Amino acid sequence: MTFVAARKGCKMSFKSIIQDMKSEFESFSRKGFDVKFGYGSKSKSRQLVEDSSVPVDAFMQSCWANMPPELLRDVLIRIEESESTWPDRQNVVACAGVCRNWRDIVKEIVKTPELSRMLTFPISLKQPGPRDSLIQCFIKRDRICQTYSLYLCEDCEDQDLNEHGKFLLSARKCRRPTCTDYIITSTPMTTPKARAVYIGKLRSNFLSTKFTIFDAQPPNAGAGTEGLLRCHSSRVGMRHVFPRVPVESYPISHISYELNVLGSRGPRRMHCVMDAIPASAIEPGGVAPTQIEFVRNVPSLPFFRSKSISGSLSTEKDGILMLRNKAPRWHEQLQCWCLNFNGRVTVASVKNFQLVACVDSSVVGLEPEKVVLQFGKVGKDLFTMDYQYPISAFQAFAICLSSFDTKIACE
């Protein structure tokens, strides 16, 4: 197969190329899996014979290893452009897992959610969303297990989330004597505890009126630990060995709900201080911190409890982004508070909210009352979560989790 023939599509379409690649990779994986665990062998001696007959690196002996770089790049670009939605986009992720050369090309081709409006790799969950549109997600709550699962799905019913939705994040609620923790992982709650991938947590105070979002790594890509706010921890009971978390966590946001001292009926009032995002990020030409990869080789211990907090993520000179809930309007005919969710919320609930940035009216080019995050109820245990730049899916999920706690002092 030459480069010219592939470009013109004379004899082989790119769809057939993908199918051929997929079938060959699966045969390599299956063969290695059978050898490793001895499936289909009747004795150890026969297994040893089979081991010696399997190539050490089957991929290097295939036709794909000798593909010209120009053709390989063209194939991967067309795969990335054609697979724009999940679950088809898993083919792009599969291509990145073939070898280092393929992975480098795919990482160069795939853009961040801010530019591509798509979530591809796990690190996309820590990167800001698109500037001009909302990424639509759903949160499914399990009351019995006290778990919450986030799915990427524009429009589907509760029973179709596992089938048509792309799983993104999960959280487990852990009650403590003086606080409540939501442990956030990038693996489903059905995953064994030893294999859970911890990426952050949400912690509340005793009254559930103030929350802090912790990230497992520094929010700025390539940034050192100097000047960052750390949470030094000490070990607690060995029963809480879920999941294994880093020694230090980095507070990236603070959420507060105003107290309702007079007991008047009305919606909750909340404010979010995004310590890791400068206020200039929402201005024309502004840039929000973007993580480019997960920090590896981080020392881990069982579950930790915060012991002290000091320092600051942002200086007052630069300023930090402030978010507040959009004030609803009172509907005389319905006799309730209303917000325009553009059809994404169907059930009235005190948990529903929309967050907008606190902008300076003197800055030219800023869109007032632009919704950065909206969260609302659509079923008994089903909620929508739509977010966009400058916050990430992880930050949006953690903020929405704060709305699930019962707040007697605020209602």
Side-chain angles (χ1 to χ4, degrees), residues 37-67:
F37 293 95
Y39 288 99
S41 58
K42 297 181 179 180
S43 63
K44 293 184 177 180
S45 60
R46 182 175 178 180
Q47 181 178 344
L48 293 175
V49 174
E50 291 178 352
D51 289 348
S52 62
S53 62
V54 176
V56 177
D57 192 349
F59 175 76
M60 295 304 297
Q61 299 182 8
S62 69
C63 61
W64 304 108
N66 300 320
M67 181 180 295

Side-chain angles (χ1 to χ4, degrees), residues 139 180 182 202-213 253-261 266-274 322-326 349-355 373-376 383 395-411:
I139 297 178
T180 300
Y182 290 85
L202 174 73
R203 167 163 295 176
S204 74
N205 62 354
F206 179 73
L207 296 177
S208 295
T209 56
K210 296 183 182 297
F211 296 80
T212 303
I213 302 176
S253 178
H254 293 81
I255 310 166
S256 61
Y257 290 82
E258 294 185 11
L259 298 177
N260 188 359
V261 180
R268 296 171 177 173
R269 291 182 293 273
M270 61 185 297
H271 293 83
C272 298
V273 181
M274 311 303 295
M322 305 282 292
L323 302 178
R324 61 173 176 82
N325 67 307
K326 187 176 181 179
S349 174
V350 70
K351 298 179 177 64
N352 303 346
F353 67 82
Q354 288 180 327
L355 289 185
L373 169 64
Q374 66 179 19
F375 171 78
F383 303 81
Q395 294 168 335
F397 184 48
I399 294 174
C400 293
L401 289 175
S402 68
S403 184
F404 283 104
D405 258 12
T406 303
K407 302 168 179 58
I408 301 177
C410 302
E411 300 170 357

Side-chain angles (χ1 to χ4, degrees), residues 172-212:
R172 181 184 297 276
K173 185 177 182 179
C174 302
R175 294 185 180 274
R176 312 296 175 195
T178 59
C179 65
T180 300
D181 285 331
Y182 290 85
I183 308 302
I184 304 175
T185 65
S186 60
T187 50
M189 284 303 167
T190 54
T191 304
K193 297 179 180 179
R195 300 180 61 183
V197 180
Y198 169 86
I199 65 171
K201 67 181 177 182
L202 174 73
R203 167 163 295 176
S204 74
N205 62 354
F206 179 73
L207 296 177
S208 295
T209 56
K210 296 183 182 297
F211 296 80
T212 303

